[in-house]
Amino acid sequence: MKRTLENINYKEDTELLARFAKALGHPTRIAILKHLENQSCCFTGDLVDVLPLAQSTVSQHLKELKNAGLIQGELKPPKIKYCINQKNWERAKLLFETLFNYDLTNKKY
Amino acid sequence: MKRTLENINYKEDTELLARFAKALGHPTRIAILKHLENQSCCFTGDLVDVLPLAQSTVSQHLKELKNAGLIQGELKPPKIKYCINQKNWERAKLLFETLFNYDLTNKKY
DNA sequence: TAATTCAATCGCAAATTTACGATTAATAAT
DNA sequence: ATTATTAATCGTAAATTTGCGATTGAATTA
């Protein structure tokens, strides 16, 4: 963005939720996460086989999911085993639930 | 993106979920939606007062939320009243739930 | 009719995202 | 020691996103 002289401070939860949402904001990354849910874990190569994208592109998507904290990689040389980061996955789940269930939780009484 | 000669076809739900997630992928837009949940509905001007952003920028964020189907605008000349699009909101909620509750719904038995 | 109000849109600039091929680094196998 | 395998990273290009001020269009009010 341009001319952003001062940064905006949103609530921490808002920032975090947006971060998670942004990471989920690409069909390839949704597909990766769905695959990880099915397989529990998998190697980068498995995903390259499944997705119609170059290895470097898949690697980049994995990096973004990792940076957002949604997945984690474990070294199994020379491969890397990726799994969903359960702790942050639960965190994300709760943040989305809070957003979508606002009416039920806060407006009923 | 570059050199995308053929488009990738993901499942419809995957595409839709990614679309919703992308729209949620900015703290300003999360803030707008939270505000709409609190107020039920509001005018663009209300949001401009609340957010430390230019009117045109807020308008752009509203446009993205509208394009994703998460909100809808109702003409109340010369103002425009924005509300959450309940139908699509529910759709989004379900798609996120399906993603996050995969283990529970599909792996328990 | 003219002035005012509200919000979308335009035009621009900078940053970020998406994608690819090529290269690199690390490890395993020969 | 050399070769092969795996996946990250680099460099590049194009598209998209984010932000702003200025302008426009629509409708209300004076």
Side-chain angles (χ1 to χ4, degrees):
Chain A
M1 67 291 308
K2 212 180 68 181
R3 281 164 287 187
T4 311
L5 304 179
E6 38 145 0
N7 271 11
I8 304 161
N9 274 319
Y10 293 98
K11 279 189 186 170
E12 208 179 312
D13 277 1
T14 297
E15 297 272 12
L16 190 56
L17 177 52
R19 257 173 71 84
F20 285 138
K22 193 175 182 184
L24 295 174
H26 193 288
T28 296
R29 294 195 287 272
I30 297 286
I32 288 172
L33 289 165
K34 284 185 177 177
H35 194 80
L36 284 178
E37 283 183 321
N38 270 310
Q39 310 289 310
S40 288
C41 292
C42 76
F43 299 106
T44 308
D46 302 341
L47 293 164
V48 175
D49 292 343
V50 168
L51 299 166
L53 292 167
Q55 178 265 320
S56 57
T57 304
V58 174
S59 219
Q60 250 179 330
H61 282 299
L62 287 169
K63 190 184 182 182
E64 284 198 53
L65 289 171
K66 200 169 52 181
N67 286 345
L70 292 174
I71 65 170
Q72 57 197 1
E74 189 192 338
L75 284 158
K76 291 268 184 183
K79 298 188 177 185
I80 292 172
K81 196 176 77 176
Y82 279 106
C83 310
I84 285 173
N85 182 320
Q86 290 301 333
K87 187 174 149 286
N88 287 332
W89 190 250
E90 192 61 29
R91 186 105 172 76
K93 179 186 165 179
L94 280 170
L95 285 169
F96 279 105
E97 275 173 7
T98 303
L99 181 72
F100 283 110
N101 293 329
Y102 182 84
D103 282 350
L104 297 171
T105 53
N106 297 44
K107 282 209 178 149
K108 269 289 162 75
Y109 313 103
Chain B
M1 69 294 306
K2 210 181 72 183
R3 282 161 287 186
T4 312
L5 303 178
E6 40 147 355
N7 271 12
I8 304 161
N9 274 319
Y10 293 98
K11 279 189 186 171
E12 208 179 311
D13 278 0
T14 297
E15 297 271 11
L16 189 55
L17 178 52
R19 257 172 70 83
F20 285 140
K22 193 176 182 182
L24 296 174
H26 194 288
T28 296
R29 294 195 286 273
I30 297 285
I32 288 171
L33 289 166
K34 284 185 177 177
H35 194 80
L36 285 177
E37 283 183 320
N38 270 311
Q39 310 289 310
S40 287
C41 292
C42 76
F43 300 106
T44 308
D46 303 339
L47 293 165
V48 174
D49 293 342
V50 168
L51 299 167
L53 292 166
Q55 178 264 321
S56 58
T57 305
V58 173
S59 219
Q60 250 178 329
H61 283 298
L62 286 168
K63 190 184 182 181
E64 284 197 53
L65 288 171
K66 199 169 54 181
N67 285 345
L70 292 174
I71 65 170
Q72 57 197 0
E74 190 192 337
L75 283 158
K76 290 267 183 182
K79 297 188 178 186
I80 293 172
K81 196 175 75 175
Y82 279 106
C83 311
I84 285 173
N85 182 321
Q86 290 300 333
K87 186 172 148 290
N88 288 331
W89 190 249
E90 191 61 29
R91 187 104 172 76
K93 180 186 163 177
L94 279 170
L95 285 170
F96 279 105
E97 276 174 5
T98 303
L99 181 72
F100 283 109
N101 294 328
Y102 180 83
D103 281 351
L104 296 172
T105 53
N106 296 45
K107 283 209 178 150
K108 269 290 163 74
Y109 314 101

